[in-house]
Amino acid sequence: MDRIGIFCSASPSIDPLYFEKCAGLGTWLGKNGKTLIYGGASLGLMECISRTVSENGGKVIGVVPDKLEEKGKISNCLTEIFYTTTLSERKDIIVRESDILIALPGGIGTYDEIFHVMAAASIGYHTKQIVFYNINGFYNKLIAALEDLGEKGFLRHPLSFYYRIATTFEELQQIIESSD
């Protein structure tokens, strides 16, 4: 998989561990000639991943909604830009342009992106999964909630249809490489 979609936090005030793990992923992606496709922001983990991919030779595609552009929060690391007018368009383009989709730690926007991917897959718009990069157990509660939905019969497909989990960088790397 050469086109890696990333969903992650735009917050600068999160645990430095997340920045460290994000930078490690971005470095690996860049050095391995991968293309990053993400929301285009110059904030938080979003800027960290774009900067490290770019500094290490990878291509960086930003999918930028007009509200982000109006606020001047677009990363300087972008080699290509898709402009959108809505967050829904942004999500659709990231999903369409990516071979694989990875969720790093994030807030409401990241959760929205995760559920957008899973909901669209559940009704047949695509067959892509979310790969949770579950750094320091960040997604444990969400995964437990999804398991509960499955146990109660609220999911159309088995959980393995919707997502995979990587708790270490090595597991994440293996998932990316095995998806080729």
Side-chain angles (χ1 to χ4, degrees), residues 62-126:
V63 184
V64 178
D66 55 7
K67 293 290 184 193
L68 189 64
E69 185 178 19
E70 288 171 12
K71 294 177 181 177
K73 302 294 184 186
I74 300 174
S75 175
N76 293 327
C77 300
L78 306 180
T79 51
E80 185 177 339
I81 301 175
F82 286 89
Y83 290 100
T84 70
T85 56
T86 69
L87 288 176
S88 292
E89 287 177 311
R90 178 198 221 182
K91 292 177 285 191
D92 288 338
I93 291 169
I94 293 171
V95 172
R96 182 187 73 219
E97 295 295 321
S98 300
D99 297 323
I100 189 168
L101 298 155
I102 300 169
L104 276 67
I108 295 296
T110 302
Y111 274 57
D112 176 52
E113 292 159 337
I114 290 166
F115 283 108
H116 181 87
V117 171
M118 291 192 294
S122 77
I123 58 176
Y125 281 103
H126 61 79

Side-chain angles (χ1 to χ4, degrees), residues 14-174:
I14 58 176
D15 189 321
L17 171 69
Y18 301 128
F19 285 96
E20 177 186 322
K21 298 295 185 181
C22 181
L25 173 59
T27 298
W28 182 83
L29 292 172
K31 286 183 177 179
N32 286 278
K34 306 295 185 187
T35 297
L36 167 66
I37 303 164
Y38 84 115
S42 62
L43 306 163
L45 295 182
M46 294 177 77
E47 178 65 7
C48 178
I49 193 78
S50 66
R51 183 178 27 78
T52 55
V53 168
S54 179
E55 289 172 351
N56 287 281
K59 183 177 178 184
V60 179
I61 298 174
V63 184
V64 178
D66 55 7
K67 293 290 184 193
L68 189 64
E69 185 178 19
E70 288 171 12
K71 294 177 181 177
K73 302 294 184 186
I74 300 174
S75 175
N76 293 327
C77 300
L78 306 180
T79 51
E80 185 177 339
I81 301 175
F82 286 89
Y83 290 100
T84 70
T85 56
T86 69
L87 288 176
S88 292
E89 287 177 311
R90 178 198 221 182
K91 292 177 285 191
D92 288 338
I93 291 169
I94 293 171
V95 172
R96 182 187 73 219
E97 295 295 321
S98 300
D99 297 323
I100 189 168
L101 298 155
I102 300 169
L104 276 67
I108 295 296
T110 302
Y111 274 57
D112 176 52
E113 292 159 337
I114 290 166
F115 283 108
H116 181 87
V117 171
M118 291 192 294
S122 77
I123 58 176
Y125 281 103
H126 61 79
T127 58
K128 297 173 184 176
Q129 298 175 306
I130 283 288
V131 179
F132 290 110
Y133 189 10
N134 196 23
I135 300 166
N136 205 27
F138 181 85
Y139 282 114
N140 287 351
K141 290 181 181 180
L142 176 59
I143 292 165
L146 291 169
E147 289 171 353
D148 189 52
L149 286 175
E151 289 168 8
K152 292 178 178 171
F154 285 98
L155 300 177
R156 288 190 181 146
H157 305 282
L159 292 171
S160 61
F161 177 85
Y162 297 101
Y163 64 84
R164 296 177 74 180
I165 303 167
T167 57
T168 66
F169 173 73
E170 292 75 21
E171 290 173 356
L172 182 61
Q173 182 181 2
Q174 186 176 33

